[in-house]
Structures are given as structure tokens and as C-alpha cells.
Amino acid sequence: MLDLSGKVAVVTGASGALGSAAARQLQELGATVVWNYNRTRPEAEHAFQADVSTSQGAQALVDYAVKELGRLDVLVNNAGITRDGLAMRMSEEDWDAVLDTNLKGAFLCSKAALRPMLKQRGGRIVNVTSVAGLVGNPGQANYSSAKAGLIGLTKSLAREVASRNVTVNAVAPGYVPSAIWDGVSEEAKSAVLEHIPMGRTGTPEDVAAAVAFLASDEAAYITGQVLAIDGGLT
């Protein structure tokens, strides 16, 4: 069994389904977790409000972990939003909002987290991208671009910090039920399922298990990788 005892982790966007599942999984494996949120405060001992799309917010989040808990071993960049619409009708504001949170936020948090990780010569960064970043998704030019950019960030950072025993990997969830999925018609859901070889959608726990593995010592020789958690979709 994976053991994260003594580790300190930060999970951004921890009030959402994926983020909360990842935070719970890391806690169950022994880590002390800082649950970051922007609007909805999660029920957690270490919950910290910060807008990670700003350098001030990202730095404050990392500073809290280091000052309150003594170190930072794991960063899970999960914070993300959607502003869907066809590209020709998409506003510049909707483009910027998604890129700022989903991509810039991950960069800012990683930049802040790398200082303590490099100093202690060890750490794990796990970025939550999406199959949309691998294959694109109509109506999500901003979201798909941000998630594809996150893959590039993952691979670049991995090369920069590997010599200091810091790994940087990504997980790419496929269709996982969420508030957005609940609003999809049964006909549309069936059409999606037809393209998934395993015949079902994923669960937040499916994603959380992969995050936990990449955050563990068992994944010490894995870096710069993107693990699709999509039931064979891609």
C-alpha cells in the first residue's frame, strides 16, 4: 500500500469533485493536506483560500503550507474552470479567464512550490490536465488549449528539476461525472459512452488513485509523463 506519512501536500481547487477526492486520498495515505479553495470552503482542518491565478495567491498558498506545516512535498495543480462556447463567438474575457486559472495558475503554484522542493531536494508536482488537452473538444477551445498547455508545462518543468529529485507528471481524466455532466441529456450521455471502450464514465476516485501513485515514492523514477484515465477513450 502507498504510504505518504509525514508528507505535506497542497491540492488546489480542492472544493470540487476531483480536487476533494484527491485531497481525501492523500490524507488517507497519511499526508497532511492543505485544501485550497477560492469560493466554497471545504470541511478540512487545513483549508486555505487563495486565487491561484494570481502570483500573490499562489505564493500565499505555498507560504502557508511551509510556515504552518514545515515543508511541502506534493503539489496537485487541480484548480480549473470552464467558459464553453464556439471559438468564433468566444469572448476574450472567457478565453483569458480559463487560461489564467487552468494554465497560468498551475505555473504560478509550481513556481512558488519549487523553491522549497528544490531546497529540500525532493518533491512531487501532479498536474490535472484532461483528454480535451490531448484530442481537443468542440466548444472548448479555451479549456482544451489550457489543458494542452499544461501538458507542455509538465514536460518542460520535469526536465528542469529532475536532477533535484523533483518529479512533474500529469493525469488526464476522461469523462468523469460532475455538475456539468448532470446537465447533459441521456441521449448525449449514451453517445459519449459508445466511444469509451470500458463502457462507463470514470469516477473522481479513479483519478485520485493515479494522483496518489504519482505523488508517492513508488513513482520516484517517473517524470514528464501524462497518464490518461479515460477507460480507453484516447
Side-chain angles (χ1 to χ4, degrees), residues 2-197:
L2 303 178
D3 185 5
L4 298 176
S5 299
K7 304 290 187 182
V8 173
V10 166
V11 178
T12 69
S15 58
L18 289 184
S20 60
R24 285 194 303 271
Q25 179 77 350
L26 296 176
Q27 281 187 173
E28 289 172 3
L29 294 174
T32 301
V33 180
V34 177
W35 297 53
N36 160 252
Y37 69 99
N38 191 19
R39 293 185 177 85
T40 306
R41 181 184 176 90
E43 294 295 328
E45 180 179 357
H46 299 286
F48 189 84
Q49 191 280 332
D51 179 356
V52 297
S53 69
T54 69
S55 56
Q56 296 90 342
Q59 189 63 58
L61 175 60
V62 170
D63 288 346
Y64 173 82
V66 174
K67 291 177 182 177
E68 293 295 319
L69 302 173
R71 57 189 295 118
L72 177 57
D73 302 286
V74 179
L75 168 65
V76 181
N77 283 312
N78 168 75
I81 62 172
T82 57
R83 295 286 189 276
D84 296 350
L86 295 177
M88 64 182 295
R89 298 175 183 169
M90 184 176 291
S91 69
E92 186 176 351
E93 180 183 9
D94 284 346
W95 173 273
D96 289 344
V98 171
L99 270 290
D100 282 352
T101 298
N102 299 26
L103 181 55
K104 182 183 175 185
F107 161 70
L108 292 173
C109 288
S110 298
K111 181 179 179 181
L114 282 174
R115 188 176 299 276
M117 286 183 179
L118 294 176
K119 186 176 181 180
Q120 68 196 23
R121 288 189 169 272
R124 302 279 184 269
I125 296 176
V126 183
N127 296 320
V128 180
T129 179
S130 167
V131 295
L134 295 171
V135 300
N137 213 18
Q140 290 191 317
N142 48 5
Y143 183 79
S144 297
S145 296
K147 293 301 189 179
L150 196 50
I151 292 172
L153 177 65
T154 298
K155 292 180 176 293
S156 294
L157 287 182
R159 290 182 177 273
E160 290 185 13
V161 300
S163 64
R164 294 293 188 92
N165 196 35
V166 177
T167 67
V168 187
N169 293 288
V171 294
Y175 290 96
V176 177
S178 64
I180 296 174
W181 179 258
D182 290 341
V184 175
S185 69
E186 291 303 319
E187 183 180 0
K189 288 179 181 179
S190 297
V192 168
L193 290 174
E194 287 179 5
H195 294 285
I196 302 175

